[in-house]
Amino acid sequence: MRADGEALLEVRDLVKHYPLTRGILFKKQTGAVHAVDGVSFELRRGETLGIVGESGCGKSTVAKMLVHLERPTAGHIRYKGEDITRLSGRALKAVRRNIQMVFQDPYTSLNPRMTVGDIIGEPFDIHPEVAPKGDRRRKVRELLDVVGLNPEYINRYPHQFSGGQRQRIGIARGLALNPEIIICDEPVSALDVSVQAQVVNLLARLQQQFELSYVFIAHDLSVVRHISDRVAVMYLGKLAEVGTDVQIYDHPTHPYTQALLSAVPVPDPRARSERILLAGDVPSPAHPPSGCRFRTRCWKAQPKCTAEVPPLEIPEWFREPGGPAAHVSACHFAEERSVVPNETGA
Amino acid sequence: MTADEQPATLLDVRDLHVEFRTRDGVAKAVGGVSYTVEAGQTLAVLGESGSGKSVTAQAVMGILDSPPGFVTGGEVLFRGRDLLRMGEEQRRRVRGAELAMIFQDALSSLNPVMTVGAQLGEMFEVHQGMSRKDARARAVQLMERVRIPAAADRVRDYPHQFSGGMRQRIMIAMALALEPDLIIADEPTTALDVTVQAQVMDLLAELQREFNMGLILITHDLGVVADVADKIAVMYAGRIVETAPVHDLYAAPAHPYTRGLLASIPRLDRKGRELYAIKGLPPNLTDIPSGCPFNPRCPRARDICRTDRPPLFTVAPGRASACHFWKETLDEG
Ligand SMILES: Nc1ncnc2c1ncn2[C@@H]1O[C@H](COP(=O)(O)OP(=O)(O)OP(=O)(O)O)[C@@H](O)[C@H]1O
Ligand SMILES: Nc1ncnc2c1ncn2[C@@H]1O[C@H](COP(=O)(O)OP(=O)(O)O)[C@@H](O)[C@H]1O
Ligand code: SF4
Ligand code: SF4
Ligand SMILES: [Mg+2]
Ligand SMILES: [Mg+2]
C-alpha cells in the first residue's frame, strides 16, 4: 500500500456540536454535545487511515460528516482541493459518488424487505449513469462475485445470510458506484474472529484491485494496525496522536495512546507488559474538561494541562533528533513509552 | 480451604446434552460437554458465537429457556450434588448463595425501575433475612468494594445513570453479594472498551483471589483468555474440541480449529501480511456434519474425518483434543 500519494481528502478543524435542548413547545438550547471538536487529518490516495478511540469519542460522527450524512457545525472537508462541505445539488452528487460508506452492523444496516439484488443495486437509482437499467442485474452479479458471494443469491433476503455474508453485501453496495474512497465504520466489529479474518482480507484485496483509499474506524487496535498505513487516535472529540503504524504502536508519545494500547489483551499468556489502568470514566462530551481533555484521567497531568489546550503538533523536543517519536501528539509532556507486549509466537 | 486439603472440585459437568426443539428442526446446541472447575481456578470457555457457550452455562445455572430448550442428558454435579435432579426450590437456594452468574449485557439484566441499592439490598433481605436498613448498608459496602466512587450517594441511582463499565461492576457486586463459591461470567466485558475492560477484568481477578472462588469465564476473545485463565475449553458446534492448560494451548494447539483461530487474529506488536482465514462457516446445528463436525472447514481433513466422530483423545495429563490427527497438529507447533 502506498502512503505517499496526493491528498484526496483534507479535513480541517472539523466540528460537530449537537444542541442540548429543554422544553417541548419552546425549545431552549441549554448546551451542546461536543461530539467532534476540531479534527484535522488527510487521506492520501491508496492509503488506509485508521481511526481508533473509545466508545462515544466521535469516530462515527466524523465518518458521517465525510459522507454528508451530517452537516459540520464548522470546519472544512476538501476533496481533491475543493471544499465539499457546503456543496449541494449536482456538484454534491458527483462527489458523493466517490466517497462511499460501509457500516458496522450487518444486521440492521440492510433493509430486511429488500432482496440482495435491490440492496446492492440501490445506488444505481441515484446514479443511473454508472449502470443503465438493462445492465443492472449483470453489474450486481459481478459485484456479488467480487465480494466472494454466489451470484445466484441475487434474489435472497438479508436474513438468509450470516453476519459475515451480510457484511460482504454491505461492501458490495459500497463498491457499486466505483468510488475512490470508502469510509468503513467498524466493518468487522460485529463478526467472529474466523469470519473477521475473511472480511479483513477481502477489504485488503479490494483496495489493491480498485485502488481504493480507506478510512477505517474500529475499536480493535490489532485489526487497525493490520490494515492501516497511518493511525489517528481520538479522545473526546479531538485527535490525541497521529502517525504511521510503527510510530503509534511502537513509539507512542501521548499518555492516552499508551493507556489504550497497554489495555489490549494479547493472545499470548507469556507476553506480559505493564498495564496502565486508567482511573474513572470518559467525561461527558457535553462538558469536556478545559485544557487537555484527557487530564481528568491522566497520571501526568500538571496545572498547565488545565490551563492550555495542547496543540496537535510534533513536540519540539522530538523534532531535532527526528526518528519514530517525531510525529504529532497533543500532549504538553509527550514522551516515548513502550507499552505493547511482544508476543512470542510466530 | 486449608493447604493440606485436596483441591475441591466445585463443579463437575458430565456429558451434558441440550437441544432446542423449534419449527426448523431439532438444534443440538450442546452435544456432550464435560468440564470441571476447582476452587480458586479459572476455566475459560472459548468459542465463536453460536458454539453453545451460553446455553451450557444456562443449563448449569438452571435458567435455560424451556421450551424450546431441553437438557436431554448428562449430570451437573455441584459439590457432588446433581443440580439437574434437584427441585426448583432447592436449586433457587443454590443459585445466588453458592453459584452466581454475570451476564454480558448489564443494562438488560438489571431492573431499570429499581435503584441499584434496592437491587443489591434485596439479595440480603431475601437470602439472609436482613433488615432493610442493614441490607442497604451492605449494598454500599459492596459498591465500594467494586470501586464505585461516592457509593453512599449513588445507591439511590438507577441503572441507566451509570456508565457501561460501572453497570458491569454493579453486576459483579450483585454476583458477589452472597459470597458464592463459583461465578459464571458470560462475556462480562464484550460490550466494553478496552480500557474499561481492563478495569473490570482486574477487579474480577482480584475478588476471585480474595474469596478463592471458582470462575468460569465465557468469551470469544483469545486475548482476554490468555490473560486470566488457568485452563481453557474450546467449543465448536456444541462440543468441546480441545481442552488444555492455558500455556500449553497457546504454545501448541492440538486441534486444527484452535490452530486456525489463533492464526486468524492480527497482532498488536507487528504488522502482518494476509491473515489466515478459516474457510466457510460454522454448521447449522440442526444439521451437524457427520464424522468430525469441523471436517468441511478443516485443512487437514481425511476420509476418516467424514465418517468417524473423533472422541476427546487424551493428549497429556489435563489435555485433550477431539481430532483424529491431534498428534500431527501438535507436532506442527
Ligand atoms: N444525533 C445526535 N444527537 C446528540 N448527540 C449525538 C448524536 N450523535 C452522536 N451524538 C453524541 O456524540 C458523541 C460521539 O458519538 P459517535 O457516535 O461519533 O461516537 P463513536 O466514537 O462512533 O462511538 P462508538 O465507538 O460507540 O461507535 C457521543 O457522545 C454521542 O452520544
Ligand atoms: N431460546 C433459544 N431458542 C432456540 N435456539 C436457541 C435459544 N438459545 C440459544 N439457541 C441456539 O443454541 C445455539 C448455541 O447458542 P449459545 O449457547 O447462545 O451460543 P454462544 O456460544 O454464542 O453463547 C445457537 O445455535 C443458538 O441459536
Ligand atoms: S497534556 Fe497533560 S493531561 Fe494531557 S495528556 Fe499530556 S500530560 Fe496528560
Ligand atoms: S478430526 Fe479431521 S476434520 Fe476434524 S479437526 Fe481433526 S483433522 Fe480436522
Ligand atoms: Mg460509532
Ligand atoms: Mg453467548
Side-chain angles (χ1 to χ4, degrees), chain B residues 20 22 29 48-56 58 65 68 186 285:
Chain B
F20 288 97
T22 66
E48 297 185 274
S49 71
S51 58
K53 307 182 294 294
S54 298
V55 170
T56 304
Q58 287 158 8
D65 190 12
D186 191 355
L285 297 179

Side-chain angles (χ1 to χ4, degrees), chain B residues 188-223:
Chain B
T189 58
T190 298
L192 305 176
D193 282 311
V194 283
T195 56
V196 186
Q197 167 171 295
Q199 293 169 353
V200 171
M201 287 311 303
D202 189 59
L203 173 70
L204 204 54
E206 179 190 314
L207 296 169
Q208 182 196 17
R209 270 194 305 277
E210 189 178 318
F211 296 107
N212 196 37
M213 289 182 304
L215 175 65
I216 298 179
L217 180 72
I218 298 174
T219 177
H220 66 268
D221 185 328
L222 287 118

Side-chain angles (χ1 to χ4, degrees), chain A residues 53-55 162 165 192-198 200-201 219-229 245 249-250 256 259-261 263-272 275 277-281 297 340-346, chain B residues 47-50 147 163 165-166 169 190 192-199 201-202 220-228 246-247 250-251 257 261-262 264-282 297:
Chain A
E54 287 169 283
S55 179
S162 71
Q165 290 173 323
D192 271 313
V193 262
S194 76
V195 181
Q196 171 181 296
Q198 296 171 358
V200 167
N201 286 342
H219 61 258
D220 183 325
L221 287 125
S222 308
V223 172
V224 168
R225 176 165 206 174
H226 179 81
I227 201 156
S228 306
D229 301 296
D245 79 284
Y249 286 76
D250 300 338
Y256 177 62
L260 196 62
L261 284 171
V264 178
V266 300
D268 180 353
R270 282 166 300 182
R272 298 259 162 200
R275 184 159 285 177
L277 279 185
L278 287 180
D281 292 302
R297 300 169 85 197
V340 170
N342 279 311
E343 295 170 47
T344 45
Chain B
E48 297 185 274
S49 71
R147 303 189 205 129
S163 71
M166 284 181 174
R169 292 202 290 262
T190 298
L192 305 176
D193 282 311
V194 283
T195 56
V196 186
Q197 167 171 295
Q199 293 169 353
M201 287 311 303
D202 189 59
H220 66 268
D221 185 328
L222 287 118
V224 172
V225 182
D227 253 15
V228 298
V246 68
H247 283 265
Y250 284 84
Y257 176 62
L261 279 184
L262 280 170
S264 63
I265 27 180
R267 294 174 61 130
L268 189 64
D269 63 345
R270 65 164 185 250
K271 200 180 184 79
R273 302 168 74 80
E274 195 179 347
L275 291 177
Y276 175 80
I278 301 174
K279 65 180 181 189
L281 297 170
R297 306 177 72 190

Side-chain angles (χ1 to χ4, degrees), chain B residues 24-223:
Chain B
D24 302 328
V26 176
K28 295 211 162 59
V30 179
V33 161
S34 304
Y35 56 61
T36 62
V37 190
E38 285 156 24
Q41 192 181 49
T42 300
L43 163 74
V45 178
L46 181 86
E48 297 185 274
S49 71
S51 58
K53 307 182 294 294
S54 298
V55 170
T56 304
Q58 287 158 8
V60 168
M61 286 297 291
I63 53 170
L64 190 67
D65 190 12
S66 178
F70 297 92
V71 175
T72 53
E75 291 169 294
V76 177
L77 303 175
F78 184 73
R79 292 195 176 289
R81 297 164 297 169
D82 190 350
L83 297 180
L84 297 178
R85 276 159 195 83
M86 261 181 202
E88 185 47 38
E89 186 49 42
Q90 209 180 350
R91 221 172 160 179
R92 205 174 358 245
R93 247 176 287 137
V94 172
R95 210 154 51 217
E98 297 177 73
L99 184 62
M101 187 151 173
I102 301 169
F103 298 90
Q104 167 171 352
D105 184 1
L107 191 55
S108 62
S109 20
L110 290 168
N111 184 341
V113 297
M114 238 170 122
T115 66
V116 297
Q119 292 184 60
L120 282 166
E122 195 179 44
M123 309 271 298
F124 300 110
E125 291 173 43
V126 171
H127 283 269
Q128 297 181 347
M130 267 190 203
S131 71
R132 173 148 303 181
K133 187 156 161 284
D134 291 348
R136 212 47 72 89
R138 282 287 288 135
V140 174
Q141 276 175 9
L142 264 177
M143 285 171 68
E144 282 167 351
R145 193 68 201 74
V146 296
R147 303 189 205 129
I148 304 285
D153 299 326
R154 303 219 62 182
V155 287
R156 278 178 293 271
D157 284 350
Y158 291 89
H160 74 265
Q161 292 170 284
F162 292 88
S163 71
M166 284 181 174
R167 280 198 292 263
Q168 206 51 283
R169 292 202 290 262
I170 289 166
M171 282 293 294
I172 293 176
M174 212 136 161
L176 281 173
L178 306 172
E179 297 183 15
D181 303 314
L182 178 72
I183 289 195
I184 303 181
D186 191 355
E187 313 242 11
T189 58
T190 298
L192 305 176
D193 282 311
V194 283
T195 56
V196 186
Q197 167 171 295
Q199 293 169 353
V200 171
M201 287 311 303
D202 189 59
L203 173 70
L204 204 54
E206 179 190 314
L207 296 169
Q208 182 196 17
R209 270 194 305 277
E210 189 178 318
F211 296 107
N212 196 37
M213 289 182 304
L215 175 65
I216 298 179
L217 180 72
I218 298 174
T219 177
H220 66 268
D221 185 328
L222 287 118

